[in-house]
Amino acid sequence: MLLLEMLVIVILPAIYVAGSALLAWPTISRPWLFVVLTLCAMYLLYVAVFFLLPAPPQGYYSEVGVNAQRETEVITRSTDGRVEPSMLRDVLKQIAVFSLLAFPSLWGAIRLFRR
């Protein structure tokens, strides 16, 4: 689960650019230049949002115990009490702000590259 969450966090700008390029491909002049420039711009915006709105510090610890069958079990908990660690839950605010800024930016880029 952690790998999938990390993958989503890393490729989110590329997903947005790919979606907008697929929708606007026939209407834009120089589509490959559009893809390269908007991908660079989206990753710069992504880094800026994550830099300006840092995620709250979060820690994890492991509890080791013995269950009813006398087996040792390890439970990973976050410092706020959640049992399942989640990276996406910690950065939802940054992803939402990035999305709110990315969609108008991509729309403007499509209008700029229109034939």
Side-chain angles (χ1 to χ4, degrees), residues 84-99:
E84 175 93 16
S86 172
M87 291 183 70
L88 282 178
R89 192 175 296 137
D90 297 334
V91 295
L92 279 179
K93 182 171 99 174
Q94 289 87 346
I95 290 174
V97 169
F98 168 71
S99 297

Side-chain angles (χ1 to χ4, degrees), residues 51-64:
F51 181 73
L52 294 174
L53 299 172
Q58 186 71 357
Y60 298 97
Y61 63 92
S62 296
E63 291 180 351
V64 178

Side-chain angles (χ1 to χ4, degrees), residues 11-34:
I11 67 168
L12 186 65
I15 292 171
Y16 287 173
V17 169
S20 65
L22 284 174
L23 290 175
W25 195 269
T27 63
I28 54 179
S29 62
R30 297 187 236 145
W32 291 108
L33 183 63
F34 169 80

Side-chain angles (χ1 to χ4, degrees), residues 29-71:
S29 62
R30 297 187 236 145
W32 291 108
L33 183 63
F34 169 80
V35 169
V36 170
L37 290 179
T38 55
L39 193 59
C40 291
M42 288 301 107
Y43 272 106
L44 284 173
L45 179 63
Y46 202 53
V47 168
V49 166
F50 272 79
F51 181 73
L52 294 174
L53 299 172
Q58 186 71 357
Y60 298 97
Y61 63 92
S62 296
E63 291 180 351
V64 178
V66 178
N67 62 14
Q69 288 82 21
R70 316 253 321 135
E71 299 169 338

